[in-house]
């Protein structure tokens, strides 16, 4: 499954599923907001560009997109007042796959600009925003055009399902799994790792030509806590999805052959794997890297659901819905995620549910 063929993997189908996913992503991004803002402030203080190029890679199309931009602009504006430099202009590039709903973002721009100008007598900063559709596994921008790159909840998606999990006849060797699991042959995690290394290397090489010397990148993605690939925080959500699909197979709702050929283009790396790939590519220095766990906090949304598992299922559905509908048909979605909610409640009762996230700050050498 090629990444370009997936319908907006970060969102979902419909406003409700999208809003849920956007809320979860914002909670995680807010946990590292201070790191992101410190990184752009440090970059601006050190390099002091007159025209500041910012790219949000995997921007999606919800309220998070422009709120992120405003926070970055405000951080630079505050820093600029301290160092008393002429106000820079901002060139902001919003990137996602061509199937992303960029129109939703553009329709929100008048309110965004009004908010920027609020309480200012000088008209506010000059911020020029453009959409840039395409995969970030390749070049997107002109040489030396970016000073700061931000990407949240995107780089754990691979460009494609690893070819190494298929035999010579094109049949998956990863039987009874849709991701790396305890049932997977040893060649499966190796294939996923190779694909991740290839993709990340291509990502870094592409950005190295676009980011100026001294420019920074802040990357936030799902990861795992250690070297063992079957890390509960990274595989349990996929395992529950497989078990839910298998239940529908047993009920005659899904063909077994359909399930056996369904794989996900996802990989949760370790800190060490990320650091090693950055070192090997050689264009960036790791300024900081950290990992943290985040439980799925349903917060005030909890009143909408009959159980915690239902809230978890809603979140996962918002991420996977379009891919599942494309492969199995939309008719299975409600039954599938009813099963998923039941399994999530069982897991919560046993050990709880959380996810592992990794944040990196890189500087272009």
């Amino acid at each position: 499954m090629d990444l370009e063929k997936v319908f907006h993997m970060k969102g979902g189908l419909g406003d409700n599923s999208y809003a849920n996913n956007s809320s979860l992503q914002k909670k995680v991004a807010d946990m590292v907001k201070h790191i992101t803002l410190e990184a752009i402030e440090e970059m601006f203080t050190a390099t002091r560009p007159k025209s500041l190029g910012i790219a949000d890679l995997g921007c999606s199309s919800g309220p998070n997109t422009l709120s992120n931009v405003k926070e970055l602009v405000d951080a630079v504006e505050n820093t600029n007042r301290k160092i008393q430099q002429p106000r820079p202009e901002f060139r902001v590039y919003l990137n996602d796959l061509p199937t992303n709903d960029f129109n939703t973002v553009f329709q929100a721009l008048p309110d965004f600009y009004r908010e920027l100008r609020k309480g200012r007598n000088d008209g506010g900063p000059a911020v020029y925003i453009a959409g840039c559709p395409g995969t970030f596994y390749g070049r997107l921008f002109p040489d030396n055009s970016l000073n700061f790159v931000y990407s949240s909840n995107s780089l754990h998606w691979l460009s494609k399902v690893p070819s190494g999990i298929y035999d010579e006849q094109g049949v998956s060797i990863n039987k009874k799994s849709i991701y790396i699991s305890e049932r997977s042959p040893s060649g499966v995690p190796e294939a996923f790792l190779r694909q991740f290394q290839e993709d990340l290397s291509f990502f870094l090489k592409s950005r190295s030509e676009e980011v100026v010397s001294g420019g920074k990148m802040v990357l936030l993605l799902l990861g795992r806590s250690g070297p063992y690939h079957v890390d509960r925080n990274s595989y349990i959500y996929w395992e529950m999805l497989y078990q839910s699909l298998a239940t529908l197979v047993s009920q005659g709702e899904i063909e077994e052959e359909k399930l056996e050929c369904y794989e996900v283009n996802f990989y949760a790396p370790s800190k060490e794997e990320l650091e090693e790939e950055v070192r090997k590519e050689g264009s960036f220095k790791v300024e900081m890297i950290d990992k943290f766990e985040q439980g799925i906090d349903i917060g005030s949304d909890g009143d909408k659901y009959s159980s915690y598992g239902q809230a978890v299922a809603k979140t996962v559905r918002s991420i996977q819905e379009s891919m599942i509908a494309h492969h199995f048909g939309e008719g299975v979605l409600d039954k599938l995620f009813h099963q998923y909610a039941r399994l999530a409640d069982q897991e919560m009762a046993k050990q709880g549910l959380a996810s592992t996230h990794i944040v990196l700050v890189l500087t272009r050498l």
Side-chain angles (χ1 to χ4, degrees), residues 315-332:
T315 298
V316 174
R317 178 170 180 166
S318 71
I319 300 168
Q320 278 286 293
E321 183 173 48
S322 56
M323 296 176 66
I324 292 169
H326 175 77
H327 190 81
F328 297 102
E330 292 187 18
V332 306

Side-chain angles (χ1 to χ4, degrees), residues 10 17-18 48 59 61 96 142 149 165 213 225 251 266 270 307:
K10 289 186 68 185
S17 63
Y18 166 75
R48 305 190 182 192
C59 66
S61 60
D96 213 313
V149 173
I165 68 168
S213 178
S225 59
Q251 294 174 349
F266 170 90
S270 66
S307 71

Side-chain angles (χ1 to χ4, degrees), residues 2-180:
D2 192 286
L3 184 62
E4 290 283 15
K5 297 179 182 178
V6 177
F7 177 85
H8 193 1
M9 297 169 66
K10 289 186 68 185
L13 299 177
D15 293 339
N16 291 336
S17 63
Y18 166 75
N20 185 280
N21 190 34
S22 179
S23 175
L24 175 64
Q25 291 177 353
K26 181 169 177 55
K27 288 175 183 176
V28 174
D30 282 350
M31 293 184 68
V32 298
K33 182 193 299 184
H34 63 290
I35 295 173
T36 304
L37 299 183
E38 285 173 9
I40 197 169
E41 289 167 356
E42 290 173 3
M43 177 280 300
F44 182 74
T45 301
T47 61
R48 305 190 182 192
K50 295 180 180 179
S51 181
L52 181 59
I54 299 173
D56 182 345
L57 305 184
C59 66
S60 194
S61 60
N64 295 352
T65 303
L66 293 179
S67 66
N68 291 339
V69 173
K70 185 176 186 305
E71 288 170 351
L72 293 172
V73 170
D74 286 345
V76 172
E77 286 271 284
N78 291 336
T79 301
N80 193 55
R81 282 191 287 271
K82 294 176 185 176
I83 62 178
Q84 297 183 330
Q85 291 290 301
R87 170 183 274 171
E89 66 176 11
F90 296 85
R91 296 171 285 110
V92 180
Y93 306 103
L94 304 177
N95 159 258
D96 213 313
L97 297 178
T99 47
N100 184 51
D101 185 6
F102 286 99
N103 282 339
T104 299
V105 181
F106 297 151
Q107 288 165 6
L109 284 177
D111 289 338
F112 169 79
Y113 286 122
R114 273 194 295 273
E115 189 66 25
L116 274 183
R117 293 192 295 267
K118 184 183 295 184
R120 298 175 185 264
N121 297 322
D122 57 5
V127 181
Y128 305 99
I129 296 179
C132 185
T135 173
F136 50 54
Y137 293 123
R139 288 293 301 272
L140 289 165
F141 311 103
D143 288 352
N144 299 312
S145 59
L146 301 179
N147 304 88
F148 189 80
V149 173
Y150 174 75
S151 181
S152 176
N153 293 289
S154 296
L155 274 168
H156 42 251
W157 294 113
L158 303 175
S159 65
K160 62 180 182 180
V161 173
S163 57
I165 68 168
Y166 300 104
D167 62 20
E168 294 178 356
Q169 286 72 45
V171 178
S172 173
I173 64 172
N174 196 27
K175 301 296 184 182
K176 307 302 179 186
S177 300
I178 60 176
Y179 180 56
I180 302 168

Side-chain angles (χ1 to χ4, degrees), residues 269-298:
S270 66
K271 280 175 56 177
E272 292 73 22
E273 288 168 352
L274 284 163
E275 288 180 291
E276 175 64 11
E277 209 53 46
V278 173
R279 185 196 64 77
K280 281 167 39 182
E281 195 280 328
S283 300
F284 293 87
K285 175 186 176 183
V286 178
E287 296 290 350
M288 74 87 67
I289 182 168
D290 197 11
K291 69 174 185 288
F292 60 95
E293 288 191 5
Q294 170 69 19
I296 296 184
D297 178 13
I298 59 178

